[in-house]
Amino acid sequence: MGKRWVSLRMRAADREGRHRSGAERLVPLEHSRAAVLPLLERGWSALGAEPGRVFLTAEPIPEEQIRWVEALPARTVCVSCAQEGQQRAIEMLVDRCGVSPQAARSAVEWMRAGPNPSGGNMRGAMLLDRETGERLEEDPSRGVRVSCVDLDPASRARFDLWFQGGFPPTRFREAWTLAAKVATAETIVAELCWSDDPHYLPGYVASRTIGYVRFTVLKEAGNPFGGRAYFVDRSRFDRSALVAFLERAPVLVRLSDPSLIAEV
Ligand code: PML
């Protein structure tokens, strides 16, 4: 029998059930106790003084089910303001990833105004037709939440050694890890993301072809809206298969060569 792994998921929600924070880990069973505490603390700190709940789920995963994928090469592009960052992100989606200008602009508009059609942010990502920009999620107020993914422990150690605990922030590591899983979904041609944290301004465009390209500023300071848009090739799109892969297929990301992250 192979090694035993555990998928850990944390979700914090306010009293009305509105999403406040979420995080994922996929760790060897023997690391699972140590991994739970930071998730719990993160959930509580996202709620602050607000009443709410933190949900923690732990699910055993047999090693045979885990798919290994290579980490994406990552680099940072410096821009001076959100307008420049968004313009350059749109150009990258259009010129390098096969997304139409209309679909790229539509994603930016949704993310600036709050991607949830009922107002505000979503727990998961939007699925957008790469040609028309049409929303393709079954429930557009929930979106699709990528789960069951992590950097494998040896790669995590390599990553930490490379950056020696300094830059870049944890947010980069987590987003870049999720993006590696997303990029292996064949029907997704690209991703656009920035945080819903009003004070965290960087964001990225990612795909199999360009890797993970961070922009130092992709949203206006103080804007509480953000999220993720996955651009989908409609001709090959099977929603249930894609959602099953993103939400449930266990994936470990391997960083074989730290020079992939040398330009972050
Ligand atoms: C998020 O908060 O989930 C989005 C994080 C975007 C990370 C951008 C980066 O620093 O690379």
Side-chain angles (χ1 to χ4, degrees):
M1 199 171 90
K3 195 166 166 169
R4 295 204 291 166
W5 294 77
V6 183
S7 161
L8 297 169
R9 293 193 292 278
M10 181 280 289
R11 183 168 82 81
D14 70 9
R15 203 162 39 184
E16 278 76 44
R18 282 183 299 241
H19 179 73
R20 284 285 174 270
S21 171
E24 329 287 329
R25 299 296 314 270
L26 177 58
V27 294
L29 180 65
E30 65 271 22
H31 296 182
S32 59
R33 274 169 169 249
V36 164
L37 196 57
L39 289 178
L40 188 59
E41 281 172 351
R42 192 159 151 177
W44 288 133
S45 84
L47 287 171
E50 253 188 307
R53 286 184 184 180
V54 177
F55 302 88
L56 274 168
T57 311
E59 190 186 342
I61 304 286
E63 187 161 57
E64 316 73 81
Q65 287 180 11
I66 296 177
R67 175 168 165 191
W68 289 76
V69 306
E70 280 303 321
L72 294 172
R75 67 188 169 95
T76 299
V77 173
C78 290
V79 290
S80 56
C81 64
Q83 199 188 8
E84 183 192 348
Q86 290 172 8
Q87 185 51 38
R88 293 193 57 182
I90 290 173
E91 282 164 15
M92 191 157 279
L93 287 164
V94 173
D95 299 342
R96 305 280 313 277
C97 306
V99 175
S100 75
Q102 179 188 348
R105 278 197 294 268
S106 159
V108 168
E109 289 314 316
W110 277 114
M111 282 166 53
R112 286 175 64 166
N116 188 333
S118 339
N121 292 307
M122 299 191 328
R123 234 180 101 194
M126 296 181 277
L127 296 178
L128 264 67
D129 182 323
R130 71 158 167 171
E131 294 282 352
T132 63
E134 189 186 335
R135 298 276 297 262
L136 300 173
E137 312 97 89
E138 189 165 26
D139 174 357
S141 57
R142 178 183 178 275
V144 181
R145 175 128 196 134
V146 176
S147 188
C148 223
V149 54
D150 212 330
L151 260 183
D152 81 276
S155 298
R156 170 87 178 244
R158 232 170 264 138
F159 181 100
D160 290 345
L161 190 68
W162 181 265
F163 289 111
Q164 305 277 348
F167 186 86
T170 307
R171 275 182 199 270
F172 160 74
R173 194 194 63 237
E174 293 181 349
W176 165 75
T177 304
L178 286 185
K181 176 172 178 179
V182 174
T184 60
E186 283 193 5
T187 48
I188 295 181
V189 299
E191 169 181 1
L192 170 71
C193 166
W194 69 72
S195 176
D196 54 18
D197 177 339
H199 309 293
Y200 193 79
L201 309 187
Y204 66 90
V205 172
S207 83
R208 287 183 288 286
T209 44
I210 61 165
Y212 183 103
V213 182
R214 306 178 72 231
F215 294 89
T216 46
V217 187
L218 212 42
K219 67 181 279 181
E220 292 88 6
N223 182 340
F225 301 125
R228 290 182 159 78
Y230 301 151
F231 297 93
V232 167
D233 178 353
R234 190 83 168 267
S235 64
R236 296 180 291 156
F237 178 57
D238 171 343
R239 183 168 49 212
S240 13
L242 179 62
V243 171
F245 171 73
L246 294 173
E247 295 195 338
R248 291 188 291 284
V251 167
L252 280 172
V253 180
R254 180 188 282 127
L255 174 66
S256 316
D257 174 6
S259 73
L260 285 178
I261 44 178
E263 289 176 44
V264 169

CSV table of all heavy atoms in Angstrom, one decimal, residues 167-173 175 193-204 212 214-223 225-226:
chain,number,residue,atom,x,y,z
A,167,PHE,N,10.7,37.5,0.6
A,167,PHE,CA,9.8,37.6,-0.5
A,167,PHE,C,9.8,36.3,-1.3
A,167,PHE,O,10.9,35.7,-1.4
A,167,PHE,CB,10.2,38.8,-1.4
A,167,PHE,CG,9.2,39.1,-2.5
A,167,PHE,CD1,8.1,39.9,-2.2
A,167,PHE,CD2,9.3,38.5,-3.7
A,167,PHE,CE1,7.1,40.1,-3.2
A,167,PHE,CE2,8.4,38.7,-4.7
A,167,PHE,CZ,7.3,39.5,-4.4
A,168,PRO,N,8.8,35.8,-1.9
A,168,PRO,CA,7.5,36.4,-2.0
A,168,PRO,C,6.5,36.0,-0.9
A,168,PRO,O,6.8,35.1,-0.2
A,168,PRO,CB,7.0,35.9,-3.4
A,168,PRO,CG,7.5,34.5,-3.3
A,168,PRO,CD,8.8,34.6,-2.7
A,169,PRO,N,5.3,36.6,-0.9
A,169,PRO,CA,4.4,36.3,0.2
A,169,PRO,C,3.8,35.0,0.0
A,169,PRO,O,3.8,34.4,-1.1
A,169,PRO,CB,3.3,37.4,0.0
A,169,PRO,CG,3.5,37.9,-1.4
A,169,PRO,CD,4.9,37.7,-1.8
A,170,THR,N,3.2,34.5,1.1
A,170,THR,CA,2.5,33.2,1.1
A,170,THR,C,1.4,33.2,0.0
A,170,THR,O,1.2,32.1,-0.6
A,170,THR,CB,1.8,33.0,2.4
A,170,THR,OG1,2.8,33.2,3.4
A,170,THR,CG2,1.1,31.6,2.6
A,171,ARG,N,0.8,34.3,-0.2
A,171,ARG,CA,-0.3,34.4,-1.2
A,171,ARG,C,0.2,33.9,-2.6
A,171,ARG,O,-0.5,33.3,-3.3
A,171,ARG,CB,-0.8,35.8,-1.4
A,171,ARG,CG,-1.8,36.1,-0.4
A,171,ARG,CD,-2.3,37.6,-0.7
A,171,ARG,NE,-2.9,38.2,0.4
A,171,ARG,CZ,-4.2,38.1,0.6
A,171,ARG,NH1,-5.0,37.4,-0.2
A,171,ARG,NH2,-4.8,38.7,1.7
A,172,PHE,N,1.5,34.3,-2.9
A,172,PHE,CA,2.0,33.9,-4.2
A,172,PHE,C,2.1,32.4,-4.2
A,172,PHE,O,1.7,31.7,-5.2
A,172,PHE,CB,3.4,34.6,-4.4
A,172,PHE,CG,4.2,33.8,-5.5
A,172,PHE,CD1,3.9,33.9,-6.8
A,172,PHE,CD2,5.2,32.9,-5.1
A,172,PHE,CE1,4.5,33.1,-7.8
A,172,PHE,CE2,5.9,32.2,-6.0
A,172,PHE,CZ,5.6,32.3,-7.4
A,173,ARG,N,2.7,31.8,-3.2
A,173,ARG,CA,3.0,30.4,-3.2
A,173,ARG,C,1.6,29.6,-3.4
A,173,ARG,O,1.5,28.7,-4.2
A,173,ARG,CB,3.6,29.9,-1.9
A,173,ARG,CG,4.2,28.5,-2.0
A,173,ARG,CD,4.6,27.9,-0.6
A,173,ARG,NE,3.4,27.8,0.2
A,173,ARG,CZ,3.3,28.4,1.5
A,173,ARG,NH1,4.3,29.1,2.0
A,173,ARG,NH2,2.2,28.2,2.2
A,175,ALA,N,-1.3,30.8,-4.6
A,175,ALA,CA,-2.0,31.0,-5.9
A,175,ALA,C,-1.2,30.3,-7.0
A,175,ALA,O,-1.8,29.7,-7.9
A,175,ALA,CB,-2.0,32.5,-6.2
A,193,CYS,N,-6.4,36.4,-12.2
A,193,CYS,CA,-6.8,36.5,-10.8
A,193,CYS,C,-6.2,37.7,-10.1
A,193,CYS,O,-5.1,38.2,-10.4
A,193,CYS,CB,-6.2,35.2,-10.1
A,193,CYS,SG,-6.2,35.3,-8.3
A,194,TRP,N,-7.0,38.3,-9.2
A,194,TRP,CA,-6.5,39.2,-8.2
A,194,TRP,C,-7.3,39.0,-7.0
A,194,TRP,O,-8.4,38.4,-7.0
A,194,TRP,CB,-6.3,40.6,-8.6
A,194,TRP,CG,-7.6,41.4,-8.9
A,194,TRP,CD1,-8.4,41.9,-7.9
A,194,TRP,CD2,-8.1,41.9,-10.1
A,194,TRP,NE1,-9.4,42.6,-8.5
A,194,TRP,CE2,-9.3,42.6,-9.9
A,194,TRP,CE3,-7.7,41.8,-11.5
A,194,TRP,CZ2,-10.0,43.2,-10.9
A,194,TRP,CZ3,-8.4,42.4,-12.4
A,194,TRP,CH2,-9.6,43.1,-12.2
A,195,SER,N,-6.7,39.4,-5.8
A,195,SER,CA,-7.3,39.1,-4.5
A,195,SER,C,-8.5,40.0,-4.2
A,195,SER,O,-8.6,41.1,-4.8
A,195,SER,CB,-6.2,39.4,-3.5
A,195,SER,OG,-6.7,39.2,-2.2
A,196,ASP,N,-9.4,39.5,-3.3
A,196,ASP,CA,-10.5,40.4,-2.9
A,196,ASP,C,-10.0,41.1,-1.6
A,196,ASP,O,-10.8,41.9,-1.1
A,196,ASP,CB,-11.7,39.5,-2.6
A,196,ASP,CG,-11.5,38.4,-1.7
A,196,ASP,OD1,-10.5,38.4,-0.9
A,196,ASP,OD2,-12.4,37.5,-1.7
A,197,ASP,N,-8.8,41.0,-1.2
A,197,ASP,CA,-8.3,41.8,-0.1
A,197,ASP,C,-8.0,43.2,-0.6
A,197,ASP,O,-7.2,43.4,-1.5
A,197,ASP,CB,-7.0,41.1,0.4
A,197,ASP,CG,-6.3,41.9,1.5
A,197,ASP,OD1,-6.6,43.1,1.7
A,197,ASP,OD2,-5.5,41.3,2.2
A,198,PRO,N,-8.7,44.2,0.0
A,198,PRO,CA,-8.5,45.6,-0.5
A,198,PRO,C,-7.1,46.1,-0.5
A,198,PRO,O,-6.8,47.1,-1.1
A,198,PRO,CB,-9.4,46.4,0.4
A,198,PRO,CG,-10.2,45.5,1.3
A,198,PRO,CD,-9.6,44.1,1.2
A,199,HIS,N,-6.2,45.4,0.3
A,199,HIS,CA,-4.9,45.9,0.5
A,199,HIS,C,-3.9,45.1,-0.3
A,199,HIS,O,-2.7,45.5,-0.3
A,199,HIS,CB,-4.5,46.0,2.0
A,199,HIS,CG,-5.5,46.7,2.8
A,199,HIS,ND1,-5.7,48.0,2.7
A,199,HIS,CD2,-6.4,46.2,3.7
A,199,HIS,CE1,-6.7,48.3,3.5
A,199,HIS,NE2,-7.1,47.3,4.2
A,200,TYR,N,-4.3,44.0,-0.9
A,200,TYR,CA,-3.3,43.2,-1.7
A,200,TYR,C,-3.5,43.4,-3.2
A,200,TYR,O,-4.5,43.0,-3.8
A,200,TYR,CB,-3.5,41.7,-1.3
A,200,TYR,CG,-2.3,40.9,-1.8
A,200,TYR,CD1,-1.1,40.9,-1.1
A,200,TYR,CD2,-2.3,40.2,-3.0
A,200,TYR,CE1,0.0,40.2,-1.5
A,200,TYR,CE2,-1.3,39.5,-3.5
A,200,TYR,CZ,-0.1,39.5,-2.7
A,200,TYR,OH,1.0,38.8,-3.2
A,201,LEU,N,-2.6,44.1,-3.8
A,201,LEU,CA,-2.8,44.7,-5.1
A,201,LEU,C,-2.2,43.8,-6.3
A,201,LEU,O,-2.7,43.9,-7.4
A,201,LEU,CB,-2.2,46.1,-5.2
A,201,LEU,CG,-2.7,47.1,-4.1
A,201,LEU,CD1,-2.2,48.5,-4.4
A,201,LEU,CD2,-4.2,47.1,-4.0
A,202,PRO,N,-1.2,42.9,-6.1
A,202,PRO,CA,-0.8,42.1,-7.2
A,202,PRO,C,-1.8,41.1,-7.7
A,202,PRO,O,-2.7,40.7,-6.9
A,202,PRO,CB,0.5,41.4,-6.6
A,202,PRO,CG,0.8,42.1,-5.4
A,202,PRO,CD,-0.4,42.7,-4.8
A,203,GLY,N,-1.6,40.6,-8.9
A,203,GLY,CA,-2.5,39.6,-9.4
A,203,GLY,C,-1.7,38.9,-10.5
A,203,GLY,O,-0.5,39.2,-10.7
A,204,TYR,N,-2.3,38.1,-11.3
A,204,TYR,CA,-1.6,37.3,-12.3
A,204,TYR,C,-2.5,36.8,-13.5
A,204,TYR,O,-3.7,36.8,-13.3
A,204,TYR,CB,-0.9,36.1,-11.7
A,204,TYR,CG,-1.8,35.0,-11.1
A,204,TYR,CD1,-2.2,34.0,-11.9
A,204,TYR,CD2,-2.3,35.1,-9.8
A,204,TYR,CE1,-3.1,33.0,-11.4
A,204,TYR,CE2,-3.1,34.1,-9.3
A,204,TYR,CZ,-3.5,33.1,-10.1
A,204,TYR,OH,-4.4,32.1,-9.6
A,212,TYR,N,3.2,31.5,-15.1
A,212,TYR,CA,2.5,32.4,-14.1
A,212,TYR,C,3.2,33.7,-14.2
A,212,TYR,O,4.3,33.9,-13.8
A,212,TYR,CB,2.7,31.7,-12.8
A,212,TYR,CG,2.0,32.4,-11.6
A,212,TYR,CD1,0.9,31.9,-11.1
A,212,TYR,CD2,2.6,33.5,-11.0
A,212,TYR,CE1,0.2,32.5,-10.0
A,212,TYR,CE2,2.0,34.1,-9.9
A,212,TYR,CZ,0.8,33.6,-9.4
A,212,TYR,OH,0.2,34.2,-8.3
A,214,ARG,N,3.0,37.4,-12.9
A,214,ARG,CA,2.5,38.3,-11.9
A,214,ARG,C,2.6,39.8,-12.3
A,214,ARG,O,3.6,40.2,-12.9
A,214,ARG,CB,3.3,38.3,-10.6
A,214,ARG,CG,3.5,36.9,-10.0
A,214,ARG,CD,4.3,37.0,-8.7
A,214,ARG,NE,3.7,37.6,-7.6
A,214,ARG,CZ,4.1,38.6,-6.9
A,214,ARG,NH1,5.3,39.2,-7.1
A,214,ARG,NH2,3.4,39.2,-5.9
A,215,PHE,N,1.6,40.6,-12.0
A,215,PHE,CA,1.7,42.0,-12.2
A,215,PHE,C,1.7,42.7,-10.8
A,215,PHE,O,0.9,42.3,-9.9
A,215,PHE,CB,0.5,42.5,-13.0
A,215,PHE,CG,0.5,42.0,-14.4
A,215,PHE,CD1,-0.1,40.8,-14.7
A,215,PHE,CD2,1.2,42.7,-15.4
A,215,PHE,CE1,0.0,40.2,-16.0
A,215,PHE,CE2,1.2,42.1,-16.7
A,215,PHE,CZ,0.6,40.9,-17.0
A,216,THR,N,2.6,43.6,-10.6
A,216,THR,CA,2.7,44.1,-9.2
A,216,THR,C,1.5,44.9,-8.7
A,216,THR,O,1.2,45.0,-7.6
A,216,THR,CB,3.9,45.1,-9.1
A,216,THR,OG1,3.9,46.0,-10.2
A,216,THR,CG2,5.2,44.3,-9.1
A,217,VAL,N,0.7,45.4,-9.7
A,217,VAL,CA,-0.6,46.1,-9.3
A,217,VAL,C,-1.6,45.7,-10.4
A,217,VAL,O,-1.4,45.9,-11.6
A,217,VAL,CB,-0.4,47.6,-9.4
A,217,VAL,CG1,-1.7,48.3,-8.8
A,217,VAL,CG2,0.8,48.1,-8.6
A,218,LEU,N,-2.7,45.1,-9.9
A,218,LEU,CA,-3.7,44.7,-10.8
A,218,LEU,C,-5.1,45.1,-10.3
A,218,LEU,O,-6.1,44.9,-11.0
A,218,LEU,CB,-3.7,43.1,-11.0
A,218,LEU,CG,-4.1,42.5,-12.3
A,218,LEU,CD1,-3.6,43.3,-13.5
A,218,LEU,CD2,-3.7,41.1,-12.4
A,219,LYS,N,-5.1,45.8,-9.1
A,219,LYS,CA,-6.4,46.3,-8.7
A,219,LYS,C,-6.2,47.6,-7.9
A,219,LYS,O,-5.0,47.9,-7.4
A,219,LYS,CB,-7.1,45.3,-7.8
A,219,LYS,CG,-6.4,45.0,-6.5
A,219,LYS,CD,-7.2,44.0,-5.6
A,219,LYS,CE,-8.3,44.7,-4.9
A,219,LYS,NZ,-9.0,43.7,-4.1
A,220,GLU,N,-7.2,48.4,-7.9
A,220,GLU,CA,-7.1,49.7,-7.2
A,220,GLU,C,-7.1,49.5,-5.7
A,220,GLU,O,-7.9,48.6,-5.2
A,220,GLU,CB,-8.3,50.6,-7.5
A,220,GLU,CG,-8.4,51.1,-8.9
A,220,GLU,CD,-9.1,50.1,-9.9
A,220,GLU,OE1,-9.7,49.1,-9.3
A,220,GLU,OE2,-9.2,50.3,-11.1
A,221,ALA,N,-6.2,50.2,-5.0
A,221,ALA,CA,-6.2,50.1,-3.5
A,221,ALA,C,-7.5,50.4,-2.9
A,221,ALA,O,-8.2,51.3,-3.4
A,221,ALA,CB,-5.1,51.0,-2.9
A,222,GLY,N,-8.0,49.6,-2.0
A,222,GLY,CA,-9.3,49.9,-1.3
A,222,GLY,C,-10.4,49.1,-2.0
A,222,GLY,O,-11.5,49.0,-1.4
A,223,ASN,N,-10.2,48.6,-3.2
A,223,ASN,CA,-11.3,47.8,-3.8
A,223,ASN,C,-11.5,46.5,-3.2
A,223,ASN,O,-10.5,45.7,-3.1
A,223,ASN,CB,-11.0,47.7,-5.3
A,223,ASN,CG,-12.1,47.0,-6.1
A,223,ASN,OD1,-13.0,46.3,-5.5
A,223,ASN,ND2,-12.2,47.1,-7.4
A,225,PHE,N,-13.2,44.0,-4.1
A,225,PHE,CA,-13.6,42.9,-5.0
A,225,PHE,C,-12.4,42.3,-5.7
A,225,PHE,O,-11.4,42.9,-6.0
A,225,PHE,CB,-14.6,43.4,-6.0
A,225,PHE,CG,-15.8,44.0,-5.4
A,225,PHE,CD1,-16.2,45.3,-5.7
A,225,PHE,CD2,-16.5,43.3,-4.5
A,225,PHE,CE1,-17.3,45.9,-5.1
A,225,PHE,CE2,-17.7,43.9,-3.9
A,225,PHE,CZ,-18.0,45.2,-4.2
A,226,GLY,N,-12.6,41.0,-6.0
A,226,GLY,CA,-11.5,40.2,-6.8
A,226,GLY,C,-12.0,38.8,-7.0
A,226,GLY,O,-13.2,38.5,-6.8
